[in-house]
Amino acid sequence: MLLGNGRLFGQEYKYEIGGAAGTSFYMGDANKTALFHSLRPALGAVFRNNINFRWAIKTNLYWGKVAGDTNDFSDAFPNNFQTSFSRSFFDLGSQAEFNFFPYSDKYAYLNTKRITPYVLMGLGLTLATGDGSFFSVNLPMGLGVKYKIVNRLNLGCEFTMRKLFGDSFDSKELKDPTGVKSSFFKNKDWYSTFLISLTWDFGPRNGTCHNDE
């Protein structure tokens, strides 16, 4: 991001570290359309590399639970098949974040804001346990809001949906239960997290970070 005289300014501190807690839920064969259905707990750790006021790279390690029951919906399965499941998952991933406003509680002359919405996209790995193990790459997409409570202390709220590249995240019984050939959007599971985070800034920059290109 170019600000004033072609310079790219960075935040006062390079990094953030902290924790997050909230809820998670699943979407797939046992829940095709209902957001925030059958909520379960989720929590984890967050590390963020603040490249500048607009861009950051976040790394997360989350643990959560998901559950589902085909009896909760009216979808018809062959032979009146019905099932339910509950399992835990671990998520290790990294996302690029773009802040809509230059994010900082200092440098007012650069039009910085102590609150900003942001969007994110990245790549991760998911390991699920219970009813056999499941492992897949995931594609996270989401949005959130950051607020700098005081200098070095950040409050965040984030909703993320994660696309999986497999159809047995829920259970082995729900792997293509309709017999329809899989595609990128069909017969692939998703899960989502809604998390509140608290992070602490560290790693002071030695002077202004800039790029004169």
Side-chain angles (χ1 to χ4, degrees), residues 24-30 64-68 85-91 125-138 162-176 187-193:
S24 53
F25 65 92
Y26 142 93
M27 296 183 72
D29 292 300
K65 295 182 71 70
V66 291
F85 73 93
S86 177
R87 66 158 77 213
S88 299
F89 68 87
F90 296 91
D91 181 299
L125 299 172
T126 300
L127 172 65
T129 60
D131 189 28
S133 61
F134 171 88
F135 181 77
S136 173
V137 172
N138 72 63
R162 285 171 165 80
K163 170 71 176 177
L164 293 166
F165 294 86
D167 191 34
S168 56
F169 175 67
D170 34 30
S171 73
K172 294 178 180 177
E173 294 179 303
L174 286 169
K175 185 176 183 180
D176 193 14
N187 289 348
K188 295 291 188 285
D189 295 328
W190 298 69
Y191 65 95
S192 298
T193 56

Side-chain angles (χ1 to χ4, degrees), residues 18-24 40-46 58 60-65 89 154-159 192-199:
T23 62
S24 53
R40 295 294 187 271
L43 54 86
V46 174
K58 183 184 68 185
N60 68 263
L61 177 59
Y62 295 149
W63 167 90
K65 295 182 71 70
F89 68 87
N154 307 275
L155 179 67
C157 178
E158 181 180 290
F159 173 70
S192 298
T193 56
F194 181 79
L195 299 169
I196 304 297
S197 64
L198 195 65
T199 60

Side-chain angles (χ1 to χ4, degrees), residues 30-143:
N31 173 20
K32 295 183 179 180
T33 59
L35 294 172
F36 298 99
H37 180 75
S38 193
L39 295 175
R40 295 294 187 271
L43 54 86
V46 174
F47 174 83
R48 185 176 279 117
N49 179 0
N50 294 305
I51 299 172
N52 54 56
F53 291 139
R54 294 278 192 174
W55 288 97
I57 302 296
K58 183 184 68 185
T59 301
N60 68 263
L61 177 59
Y62 295 149
W63 167 90
K65 295 182 71 70
V66 291
D69 191 332
T70 55
N71 287 293
D72 291 345
F73 302 94
S74 59
D75 299 304
F77 293 95
N79 303 315
N80 295 317
F81 169 78
Q82 299 291 344
T83 189
S84 63
F85 73 93
S86 177
R87 66 158 77 213
S88 299
F89 68 87
F90 296 91
D91 181 299
L92 175 63
S94 185
Q95 303 99 46
E97 298 178 344
F98 175 74
N99 301 325
F100 285 93
F101 305 136
Y103 181 60
S104 178
D105 62 338
K106 298 186 182 299
Y107 315 111
Y109 65 96
L110 295 174
N111 296 317
T112 57
K113 308 293 183 184
R114 66 189 308 149
I115 185 169
T116 181
Y118 65 93
V119 292
L120 65 89
M121 190 167 186
L123 195 66
L125 299 172
T126 300
L127 172 65
T129 60
D131 189 28
S133 61
F134 171 88
F135 181 77
S136 173
V137 172
N138 72 63
L139 184 64
M141 300 163 278
L143 50 86

